Amino acid sequence: MNTSDDFRLTAVHPHEHLQAVAQITSDAFANGQYVEEIAAQYIGNSHYDWDVSRLVWHKGQLVHHWGVWGYPMRLDGVLLKVAGVGAVTTLPDYRQRGLMARAVLDSLRGMRENGYDLSILRGRHYVKFGYARAWNYVTYRLKAEELPELPAPPPYELLGPERMAEIEACYNQHYQAYSGVAVRPTYRMLQAGDMNAYGWQDADGQLAGYMRAVPTDDKKTLQCLEATGDAQQGLAVLGELFKAGAYETLAFFTLPHQHPILQWLRRGACVVEDRYFHNSGWRVRIVDLASALHKLRPRLEARLQRSWLAGWHGSLLLDAGEQQATLQIKGDKVQVLEAAESEHAIHGGAEIGRLLIGSDQPEEVLAQAQMCCTGLGAELACALFPNLHPVMSQWDEY
């Protein structure tokens, strides 16, 4: 994978390149600190995809890194293969030379060859590469006086790294119905304090649930970043941690919209902050439209059957710009075919990715992206692509 002008584009070799990647990542994001920790955990002890990540070299010096963390993502009960992108950096003297564009295009080719359906990242500067808004930052906040009366918590403890397999199994079980979440393992924690998970056991001594509770830097807010098990027991544990720390505010961040704790909070007094971003935040890109649709096909059929279009016959063209596909619909059956002209179409470019993951109400996605719909395109979009409230847990961010 050679480039011109003395620049060389390569994949990442786990033994030859690990320290160089850790160093350029540390220099860009950690002021040159924690190089060994980055190498050992963030890259070396995670779901980093060595084959799809890309490096650009100039005369033996690493000058650009495009990192990919691959994982299965749940979407309405379906698993999609997602390429998470992070730790993207170019040395200052080598910027504005198109190096990232070379890495992106070659990585996307590798993603398709390796069976990825979507790519998701967070940050600016990626709209030009086909990344559309994925989901927002949603935070729930309560003041001390707004905390409800809770029962005494069950006996609980801070879970150490030896319990990581149990934590992962518990998370996968309790989060399997939510969209946007990763199937674990993703990262392996090295110390008990890394995850801040407080767990309790059932009558058989098995992990019944846990709460991830992390103080903010100013120690004024206790953040719940993850919750499994019985909601009332979890809230009781969280309430005791909150009072013991003399915090001013209790916050809930990266919990799925349908999570029973958030449903319980919405019955009482709380403030919900839904933070939108113009061209940053979490973003999604289609890697292989046909592959994603094939995997989603059972869900598309189920959604149609529940809609006013149940029993409808016809075809729908999905135009995502560089990729197109046709959904052939016959009653309760959906087939994914190569693109063909149809009177019913959704011309949405990169924003079709938002429909696929259900990033918002479909009517809002169509309006925000100014999609051109013909025939029953808009009605079919609403039936096929509901709001799934996708979100990724903070622990799995890359």
Side-chain angles (χ1 to χ4, degrees):
M1 292 183 290
N2 290 326
T3 66
S4 60
D5 306 322
D6 296 322
F7 289 98
R8 187 165 59 95
L9 177 66
T10 73
V12 188
H13 191 283
H15 300 297
E16 295 179 13
H17 301 149
L18 176 58
Q19 286 302 124
V21 172
Q23 186 66 63
I24 197 173
T25 301
S26 170
D27 291 343
F29 303 103
N31 296 317
Q33 303 180 69
Y34 314 115
V35 177
E36 293 305 318
E37 290 88 341
I38 291 170
Q41 184 170 358
Y42 180 53
I43 299 171
N45 201 22
S46 72
H47 49 306
Y48 185 86
D49 191 328
W50 305 90
D51 295 328
V52 180
S53 299
R54 291 293 181 263
L55 305 176
V56 179
W57 305 82
H58 183 249
K59 297 181 179 180
Q61 180 184 14
L62 179 59
V63 298
H64 174 79
H65 173 243
W66 173 269
V68 176
W69 282 257
Y71 62 97
M73 184 183 83
R74 300 188 188 277
L75 194 69
D76 197 17
V78 173
L79 292 183
L80 297 182
K81 188 174 182 180
V82 170
V85 176
V88 178
T89 184
T90 305
L91 294 187
D93 290 343
Y94 292 87
R95 293 171 185 169
Q96 306 300 320
R97 299 195 193 187
L99 300 184
M100 182 169 71
R102 298 182 190 182
V104 170
L105 294 177
D106 200 69
S107 178
L108 287 169
R109 177 191 57 78
M111 291 176 194
R112 286 190 290 270
E113 292 175 353
N114 283 270
Y116 283 96
D117 302 299
L118 302 173
S119 176
I120 292 178
L121 53 70
R122 179 179 57 183
R124 308 173 67 86
H125 314 302
Y126 302 108
V127 174
K128 60 185 175 183
F129 298 121
Y131 284 87
R133 176 186 293 169
W135 54 77
N136 303 329
Y137 288 138
V138 180
T139 306
Y140 285 65
R141 303 183 194 279
L142 291 82
K143 296 180 181 179
E145 59 269 22
E146 294 172 329
L147 286 175
E149 290 294 326
L150 295 167
Y156 62 92
E157 61 179 341
L158 180 64
L159 302 177
E162 74 281 356
R163 308 290 296 275
M164 194 61 181
E166 294 177 79
I167 292 171
E168 291 168 347
C170 193
Y171 176 86
N172 287 334
Q173 175 188 352
H174 288 273
Y175 274 62
Q176 61 184 323
Y178 305 133
S179 293
V181 301
V183 177
R184 291 181 180 167
T186 51
Y187 299 100
R188 301 282 188 178
M189 70 176 179
L190 302 180
Q191 301 176 22
D194 289 343
M195 201 170 200
N196 292 92
Y198 297 84
W200 59 95
Q201 300 177 345
D202 60 20
D204 298 322
Q206 302 298 311
L207 184 64
Y210 67 85
M211 303 289 286
R212 285 196 63 221
V214 179
T216 55
D217 291 340
D218 62 8
K219 309 300 182 184
K220 294 182 179 181
T221 300
L222 181 64
Q223 298 180 96
C224 175
L225 301 175
E226 203 167 288
T228 67
D230 180 82
Q232 293 295 310
Q233 289 184 321
L235 282 168
V237 170
L238 196 64
E240 185 166 283
L241 293 170
F242 178 84
K243 293 175 182 176
Y247 299 101
E248 297 176 6
T249 307
L250 179 61
F252 297 79
F253 184 57
T254 73
L255 264 65
H257 178 78
Q258 303 94 332
H259 198 287
I261 284 182
L262 298 190
Q263 294 186 34
W264 190 83
L265 292 178
R266 288 195 292 268
R267 297 201 302 262
C270 64
V271 172
V272 182
E273 175 188 85
D274 196 343
R275 187 178 177 189
Y276 285 76
F277 297 88
H278 173 55
N279 59 357
S280 60
W282 286 102
R283 307 193 72 81
V284 59
R285 189 196 196 281
I286 297 171
V287 173
D288 192 325
L289 177 61
S291 174
L293 289 171
H294 276 291
K295 293 177 181 179
L296 289 169
R297 189 175 59 82
R299 304 308 305 144
L300 300 178
E301 292 176 343
R303 294 166 189 170
L304 274 175
Q305 291 172 28
R306 296 194 299 266
S307 76
W308 70 272
L309 287 167
W312 185 78
H313 286 223
S315 64
L316 173 66
L317 173 65
L318 289 174
D319 176 9
E322 65 180 31
Q323 297 183 55
Q324 300 85 34
T326 294
L327 298 180
Q328 187 67 44
I329 302 169
K330 295 183 178 180
D332 60 351
K333 297 297 180 183
V334 175
Q335 285 184 290
V336 182
L337 306 175
E338 292 185 3
E341 290 296 325
S342 172
E343 64 176 303
H344 312 290
I346 306 173
H347 300 280
E351 301 283 333
I352 292 290
R354 295 187 63 194
L355 287 178
L356 290 183
I357 68 169
S359 72
D360 216 317
Q361 294 299 116
E363 300 92 340
E364 183 161 349
V365 175
L366 295 178
Q368 287 179 348
Q370 298 180 331
M371 294 188 185
C372 176
C373 298
T374 61
L376 291 176
E379 289 84 349
L380 285 162
C382 293
L384 291 168
F385 304 111
N387 186 357
L388 298 177
H389 302 281
V391 66
M392 173 184 288
S393 180
Q394 182 268 350
W395 176 257
D396 300 309
E397 295 178 0
Y398 29 82

